[in-house]
Amino acid sequence: MTDSPVQVIRQAIGNHPDPETGRSIESMGQLLAISVDQEKVNVEVALSTHSMPILDDFREALESKIVAALPGSNPEIKISTHNRPPVRLGQIALRAKSVIVVGSGKGGVGKSTVAASIALTLQRLGSKVGLLDADVYGPSIPQLLGLSGRPAVNATKRIEPIKLNGQMPVMSMGFLVEPDQAVIWRGPMLHGSINQFLSDTDWGELDYLIIDMPPGTGDVALTLSQAIPIAGSVIVCTPQEVALLDAVKAISMFRKVNIPILGMVENMSGFLCPDCGKTYDIFGRGGARTKSDETNVPFLGCLPIDITLRTAGDEGRLAEVIDQDERARAPLEAVTKAMVRELASQTLQRPAQGTTLPVL
Ligand code: ADP
């Protein structure tokens, strides 16, 4: 007896991995319905909000599997979202599905701008995101996002983060010390303050917690890696040789503390002159891609020097610009999606963990 078209489709896509857990959508109960009417194939799948940034990739992959299994068919994939609650990470109360750290070898390469932009882009694409500014020596996230105020302690005795537009929880040393007071803590005090940011802050339930790391130093990376499982790190550098050499040090620092590396981003990669339309490679170009090949680290993309981004950062309007300026947003969105794809693919490569859901 030949299989019915519905069975053919089920066989073709049932084994497809959920981008979040790496398990087959059928075994996870995510394949809700399949119907076939002549060439029309309707499929309903439920994904968690964590997978939203790569929803298009997922849809296209299912469509091509369906067309390969039933040539001439016209698939329509309906994706609904269901929210898998995040697991508690480590021994602390933080509930997040993926913690991602953004680091650099040296300061001034745009690490904080990229960290904040990744957080904002993930949120735009439908995920629940928190942003922790762990750059305790030079906290610039409040400035970039135009946030100020002192976090209050709520009824459950936890620190209430400052919310960007009433939505995205943000925590920074910049909310606790005066802007001109450089934090000179080292060792145990630093360790304590980072742990407090993670465990005593009421983050709520998050898909992603993005952490803006201090440049270079291994102290904070070590503290974080001991406190919580970190899904991955992103390394920001400019194309200049000196920045690239420091980025290589950052790569070895993350490797030393066993934080997986999701990839490298080349920031300030070329300047497109708005007046003459010519591109100038002010800091050079392409060096990060070469370094990432040499160090066996994925390359997540390039971000051009963009005056809009610089003024937005200076004026505390980064969120507004990412929301409203398609041209400024496009390269940031490409880098963010490349990062989520890399996270999904690294998750798929990890060995399956019995019957419990893997912590991403
Ligand atoms: P870091 O965290 O590495 O010290 P920041 O994110 O604070 O760097 O960025 C340093 C300065 O460079 C800021 O003024 C920021 O607005 C600017 N900047 C960062 N990335 C870009 C970019 N792609 N185009 C233009 N200016 C940028």
Side-chain angles (χ1 to χ4, degrees):
M1 212 173 77
T2 53
D3 288 338
S4 72
V6 169
Q7 282 169 321
V8 170
I9 303 293
R10 189 174 292 284
Q11 273 161 19
I13 63 172
N15 266 337
H16 193 79
D18 166 56
E20 182 172 358
T21 60
R23 286 154 183 273
S24 78
I25 49 175
E26 177 132 57
S27 70
M28 297 287 288
Q30 291 172 294
L31 188 49
L32 302 183
I34 300 173
S35 67
V36 182
D37 181 7
Q38 314 267 22
E39 76 281 1
K40 192 111 207 92
V41 175
N42 284 300
V43 170
E44 270 186 58
V45 185
L47 289 185
S48 89
T49 52
H50 191 260
S51 320
M52 297 292 271
I54 45 172
L55 205 97
D56 291 343
D57 295 0
F58 180 82
R59 179 179 279 114
E60 279 162 26
L62 287 198
E63 280 170 358
S64 61
K65 282 190 172 175
I66 291 171
V67 173
L70 271 190
S73 63
N74 178 15
E76 193 170 313
I77 317 284
K78 194 171 147 211
I79 301 178
S80 57
T81 54
H82 71 134
N83 211 348
R84 178 174 73 79
V87 288
R88 214 180 69 171
L89 292 183
Q91 295 307 306
I92 59 175
L94 176 66
R95 282 164 302 151
K97 289 178 192 165
S98 294
V99 178
I100 296 172
V101 300
V102 180
S104 67
K106 71 199 256 321
V109 297
K111 170 186 55 62
S112 302
T113 307
V114 172
S117 300
I118 287 176
L120 292 164
T121 305
L122 288 170
Q123 189 180 46
R124 265 186 65 79
L125 295 172
S127 299
K128 280 194 227 158
V129 188
L131 178 60
L132 168 58
D133 182 2
D135 191 348
V136 283
Y137 306 117
S140 51
I141 294 288
Q143 164 65 38
L144 293 173
L145 298 178
L147 295 175
S148 57
R150 289 227 180 255
V153 174
N154 66 19
T156 57
K157 298 250 175 343
R158 302 186 72 201
I159 305 168
E160 198 62 48
I162 303 285
K163 296 242 170 83
L164 176 69
N165 298 330
Q167 269 192 319
M168 187 164 87
V170 181
M171 192 60 198
S172 169
M173 187 57 87
F175 298 138
L176 306 177
V177 298
E178 294 306 322
D180 56 352
Q181 251 184 290
V183 175
I184 49 157
W185 299 347
R186 292 245 157 233
M189 272 177 90
L190 184 63
H191 186 86
S193 69
I194 297 287
N195 276 333
Q196 213 173 8
F197 280 159
L198 288 172
S199 57
D200 295 350
T201 301
D202 199 349
W203 292 102
E205 290 193 349
L206 299 175
D207 290 321
Y208 299 93
L209 177 66
I210 304 298
I211 303 183
D212 180 18
M213 304 278 282
T217 166
D219 302 0
V220 174
L222 183 63
T223 299
L224 284 169
S225 65
Q226 286 169 343
I228 42 169
I230 298 190
S233 57
V234 171
I235 293 147
V236 182
C237 62
T238 61
Q240 281 166 292
E241 197 50 37
V242 52
L244 290 167
L245 292 176
D246 283 336
V248 172
K249 286 187 202 150
I251 291 171
S252 58
M253 172 195 81
F254 283 131
R255 285 191 169 141
K256 215 178 270 167
V257 295
N258 285 324
I259 295 180
I261 296 173
L262 298 175
M264 234 169 158
V265 176
E266 181 168 297
N267 189 28
M268 308 195 195
S269 171
F271 168 67
L272 176 67
C273 173
D275 298 328
C276 69
K278 235 174 111 181
T279 301
Y280 294 92
D281 292 338
I282 294 177
F283 298 121
R285 183 197 281 268
R289 185 185 285 276
T290 312
K291 265 303 175 251
S292 64
D293 285 347
E294 283 169 17
T295 48
N296 210 8
V297 160
F299 183 66
L300 301 178
C302 296
L303 301 171
I305 297 174
D306 184 342
I307 298 177
T308 321
L309 271 192
R310 207 269 305 144
T311 44
D314 282 355
E315 293 165 6
R317 292 188 305 109
L318 190 61
E320 206 179 305
V321 164
I322 288 179
D323 242 6
Q324 293 169 4
D325 188 335
E326 216 273 309
R327 193 195 44 79
R329 179 169 71 229
L332 297 168
E333 204 165 291
V335 161
T336 306
K337 284 189 178 170
M339 180 197 82
V340 177
R341 272 186 213 116
E342 190 51 40
L343 177 60
S345 109
Q346 291 193 12
T347 305
L348 302 192
Q349 285 161 23
R350 276 180 216 146
Q353 304 179 0
T355 51
T356 53
L357 287 171
V359 173
L360 296 176

